[in-house]
Amino acid sequence: MAFRTDAERQRQRDLYYMSLAEAVRSQANCLGSEVGAVLVRGNRVISTGYNGTPAGFQNCRDGGCLRCGERDKRDRDPDYESPHPETMAGKALDICFCVHAEQNTLLNAARHGIAVEGAALYVTHQPCFSCLKEAVQAGVARIAFLLDWYAASDQELRAQYDQLAEQLKPVQGADGFARIDHDAYRAYREAHVMIFDEDAATGTAPAQGTGA
């Protein structure tokens, strides 16, 4: 394929790497959202990750995460009263036993001694506050995501989130903190004979059990 501009080339790369992140997502094991992430530096994939409980522990879908389990019960029965009130929708993410996809991607790189500074992170869902600040702190230069997710409704909290996002750097006509165009992604997936995910079709993440 011939590209007229660097921006067109970057958009095509974004679609390609996002398709890899969605493939990684298929391995996620979580009762909440299933998320996949890919870390790219120098146009080479250097690490991947998906969300689930830490290695060696019982999987989330098998009861390994108390928070996700309680959220799943509430999702199935709106009248369910959890004995663990901290397990609120989209809140208290720090007490979730599952490791987020972005975190696993960064940790996998660290475990193998791979530098991530200046890398781009492609993730199927917009990062939560914790994952965004950890990516910025690790030196990730750019983040691209497909599905919207914004847990905070408080405007001051959103302003701090946006301050973090503003630290990311645009490249070749693409924003440093960029949402992938859904129509373009749909066309890319269909052109490559891949099964299109319903979440990606709507452009909105489902109700968050894990805030992934």
Side-chain angles (χ1 to χ4, degrees), residues 84-97:
H84 308 284
E86 293 100 332
T87 57
M88 300 183 296
K91 310 297 180 183
L93 307 186
D94 59 314
I95 62 171
C96 182
F97 201 65

Side-chain angles (χ1 to χ4, degrees), residues 15-150:
L15 298 173
Y16 168 66
Y17 289 125
M18 187 56 69
S19 72
L20 297 184
E22 226 184 340
V24 172
R25 176 189 182 189
S26 68
Q27 298 301 304
N29 189 307
C30 185
L31 287 169
S33 297
E34 297 174 341
V35 183
V38 171
L39 200 58
V40 177
R41 191 182 64 200
N43 292 320
R44 297 290 185 273
V45 174
I46 60 173
S47 185
T48 66
Y50 49 84
N51 59 322
T53 55
F57 287 85
Q58 188 176 32
N59 284 328
C60 179
R61 292 197 192 104
D62 297 328
C65 178
L66 173 64
R67 181 175 180 275
C68 289
E70 290 300 295
R71 286 287 300 117
D72 185 60
K73 291 175 184 176
R74 187 185 300 179
D75 289 343
R76 294 174 183 274
D77 179 7
D79 296 324
Y80 175 72
E81 295 186 9
S82 173
H84 308 284
E86 293 100 332
T87 57
M88 300 183 296
K91 310 297 180 183
L93 307 186
D94 59 314
I95 62 171
C96 182
F97 201 65
C98 291
V99 184
H100 288 193
E102 303 95 318
Q103 294 171 325
N104 267 327
T105 306
L106 294 170
L107 292 169
N108 286 337
R111 177 179 290 182
H112 296 286
I114 301 172
V116 302
E117 188 168 4
L121 179 65
Y122 292 85
V123 57
T124 55
H125 294 56
Q126 182 177 349
C128 70
F129 209 117
S130 291
C131 286
L132 177 57
K133 69 183 179 184
E134 289 163 10
V136 170
Q137 183 71 359
V140 169
R142 181 171 181 260
I143 296 177
F145 60 91
L146 185 63
L147 304 176
D148 293 317
W149 182 76
Y150 223 152

